[in-house]
Amino acid sequence: MWKLDEICDWFGEQTGLQIDVAAWRTTMGSRPKSAALLVLEDRLVVRYDGRRSLRHQIQQTMHEFGHVLCDHLGGRRFQSSPGLFATSLDAEALAAAMQRDSLDSESEIQAETIGTQLALMTREVAQLSPGGSHGAERRSRILEPLWTALTAVVPEVRLGNPGHLRSAIVAEHRMRVEIEDAIVALAPIINLSGHANDEAAWARAIAEAVDRAESGAAADAVSPAWPTDERAVLAVAKAWTRLEMGSSR
């Protein structure tokens, strides 16, 4: 297992570029931001949303590395000359043109697939899933009902069907990433009413947001912050299942 900074160092050696990986400059109240990639003459810049979970931050970063490994830059056709910045243009502003919002093309799917494998190779992600495959199988079963409901209304975040993967560790990783992506997509119509630490309130708010999304309701709520603690996400998933079982009686 490699630490994230070790992968960045290796990537720099392989590409001959200085690797600049950091979070976007954001405020807690600003809208969620997608990751972005920018290749300069001697530097590869990756920006991610630092308000997302650690797992998702690493997945976002590795997704952008996946674009380079898959040669989606086409001989660095997106490369920008440093001369562009003589007029005080910001590299982060230019990078926004290459942000990913959904898995809506072959190149995005390829980059997300490679990025998933790279993310799972990091020590940081491995430490988020203690217990190996056995623990991952249990957690995947807990996550699956919530993942199924969310990706049904936000299918563009889904990379295949994690429930059918042979590796429970990969399945758990994909479910967690896609649940978070779906929550971010639905955030403007999730009305949590200030109960961010209440898993039952989250379950009810998600159920209402799913209904709103299915009916095409307009966004009118303040976007809440999805829990970055993975145990809290499991608690929300359990609360979701209890809520759905109660409503089906």
Side-chain angles (χ1 to χ4, degrees):
M1 288 287 179
W2 286 6
K3 293 181 66 177
L4 179 61
D5 58 358
E6 292 173 336
I7 291 182
C8 291
D9 289 343
W10 170 84
F11 205 73
E13 292 173 1
Q14 297 302 309
T15 60
L17 298 171
Q18 177 185 344
I19 307 300
D20 177 2
V21 175
W24 289 106
R25 292 191 294 269
T26 60
T27 61
M28 288 306 296
S30 62
R31 293 180 64 83
K33 294 179 72 69
S34 298
L37 169 68
L38 180 68
V39 181
L40 303 175
E41 186 171 311
D42 61 352
R43 188 160 58 107
L44 187 150
V45 179
V46 174
R47 292 292 180 264
Y48 59 86
D49 193 333
R51 298 165 297 180
R52 307 288 289 273
S53 68
L54 175 59
R55 182 186 296 272
H56 204 285
Q57 291 176 29
I58 293 174
Q59 177 65 36
Q60 286 185 314
T61 301
M62 296 299 104
H63 174 98
E64 302 307 335
F65 283 4
H67 277 304
V68 179
L69 290 172
C70 292
D71 197 27
H72 293 156
L73 301 185
R76 296 190 193 174
R77 68 177 181 273
F78 295 126
Q79 180 171 321
S80 303
S81 166
L84 287 174
F85 302 100
T87 55
S88 300
L89 292 178
D90 188 346
E92 293 184 358
L94 288 177
M98 284 170 271
Q99 292 184 21
R100 176 185 72 81
D101 290 314
S102 61
L103 301 177
D104 56 359
S105 69
E106 183 178 350
S107 62
E108 292 298 336
I109 291 171
Q110 289 174 348
E112 187 74 357
T113 301
I114 295 296
T116 295
Q117 297 303 319
L118 290 173
L120 289 167
M121 288 171 58
T122 65
R123 190 177 306 168
E124 289 87 345
V125 169
Q127 290 173 343
L128 290 171
S129 299
S133 297
H134 178 71
E137 288 177 2
R138 180 184 63 82
R139 291 188 295 271
S140 294
R141 288 195 298 270
I142 294 171
L143 293 167
E144 189 165 10
L146 177 60
W147 170 84
T148 299
L150 287 171
T151 58
V153 294
V154 193
E156 61 270 22
V157 305
R158 188 172 59 222
L159 183 67
N161 188 346
H164 294 162
L165 294 174
R166 292 182 179 180
S167 170
I169 292 175
V170 179
E172 179 192 5
H173 178 76
R174 288 308 316 167
M175 284 184 188
R176 286 189 181 275
V177 166
E178 292 169 17
I179 286 171
E180 187 167 343
D181 276 336
I183 290 292
V184 168
L186 294 174
I189 58 173
I190 295 178
N191 189 350
L192 196 57
S193 302
H195 300 290
N197 296 320
D198 184 341
E199 61 268 20
W202 261 112
R204 291 191 298 272
I206 292 171
E208 292 168 359
V210 167
D211 289 342
R212 292 191 190 105
E214 290 175 338
S215 64
D220 59 1
V222 177
S223 301
W226 181 239
T228 57
D229 185 298
E230 298 210 338
R231 291 169 298 182
V233 174
L234 282 179
V236 173
K238 290 177 181 177
W240 166 267
T241 300
R242 289 194 298 269
L243 179 65
E244 290 300 291
M245 290 178 64
S247 64
S248 64
R249 290 175 183 171

